[in-house]
Amino acid sequence: MNRLPAPVFDALRRLERRMLGILLTYGAGKLAVTGTGLLAALYLLDRSFEPPPEARVVLAVAALAVFGLRVWKRLLLPLRRRPAPRDLAALWERSHPDLGGLLASAVELPVAAAGTSQALLDQAREQDEAATEVLVASRAAPAARARRSGLRGLAALALALGLGRWLSWASSVFLVRPFAGQQARPTAPT
């Protein structure tokens, strides 16, 4: 991307940063919901059946494995895939039809062919620069879905922390039971 005109390069980088932020927000929200759901399931299993310490460890390891797979699928894989410059230009073109292919042309033809008129190249650069000044990243990559996912994740974490704080007499024992052997089930303080 570094052979592109500076305004085009900046526009593509701006869109790429926005897309990465959207993916990060979306994935983190999904992971927070998954993590709190797994923790709630472990807590309910522990409270309902009182499994032996070995079973608690196996359940905790299984929950960590499920969570690790979700981290890979929801966060790491999407963040590893970097969009190509032509894909970013296509997103800009789709969201701003008035560009008329200027950005796509600037990306596809970064080096002028031998014998190309300098006046034509200067005119194309001016058009590219003028076109990139009006680009709105939120139109090209809307973040509403990612924002909702992030808010759901924050709500799930807040609920889990609130319940853990409210039921601190039970949650403190629950968190150490797999490693502390057979402890008595906590009861509500009187």
Side-chain angles (χ1 to χ4, degrees):
M1 280 200 308
N2 55 3
R3 292 182 292 165
L4 299 171
V8 173
F9 179 77
D10 292 341
L12 297 180
R13 294 293 293 177
R14 193 171 70 234
L15 183 58
E16 183 181 29
R17 279 193 306 270
R18 179 168 176 82
M19 289 177 62
L20 290 175
I22 288 170
L23 288 172
L24 183 64
T25 303
Y26 180 79
K30 290 289 188 185
L31 288 176
V33 169
T34 299
T36 54
L38 286 170
L39 192 60
L42 287 174
Y43 180 77
L44 290 174
L45 282 171
D46 190 61
R47 293 290 289 175
S48 300
F49 300 112
E50 286 194 52
E54 298 83 16
R56 287 188 190 107
V57 171
V58 168
L59 288 171
V61 168
L64 283 174
V66 168
F67 188 73
L69 286 172
R70 289 292 186 190
V71 167
W72 176 256
K73 181 181 176 186
R74 295 280 185 190
L75 199 59
L76 298 178
L77 270 180
L79 289 176
R80 283 183 62 201
R81 295 185 194 128
R82 301 302 273 246
R86 68 175 173 271
D87 298 331
L88 294 169
L91 280 173
W92 278 125
E93 295 282 346
R94 195 172 324 144
S95 66
H96 296 77
D98 52 316
L99 287 175
L102 281 175
L103 210 55
S105 298
V107 169
E108 293 296 326
L109 303 170
V111 179
T116 305
S117 162
Q118 187 60 40
L120 180 64
L121 291 174
D122 292 341
Q123 181 184 5
R125 283 192 187 103
E126 287 173 15
Q127 287 178 341
D128 291 340
E129 190 170 322
T132 58
E133 289 175 1
V134 297
L135 298 178
V136 180
S138 61
R139 255 175 67 187
R145 188 173 174 196
R147 195 175 305 119
R148 283 191 304 271
S149 175
L151 289 174
R152 276 194 291 274
L154 285 175
L157 286 175
L159 179 65
L161 289 173
L163 285 173
R165 180 86 170 144
W166 183 50
L167 302 171
S168 61
W169 51 271
S171 60
S172 62
V173 173
F174 163 71
L175 293 175
V176 297
R177 273 182 94 176
F179 310 105
Q182 197 67 17
Q183 286 188 343
R185 175 185 276 182
T187 57
T190 55

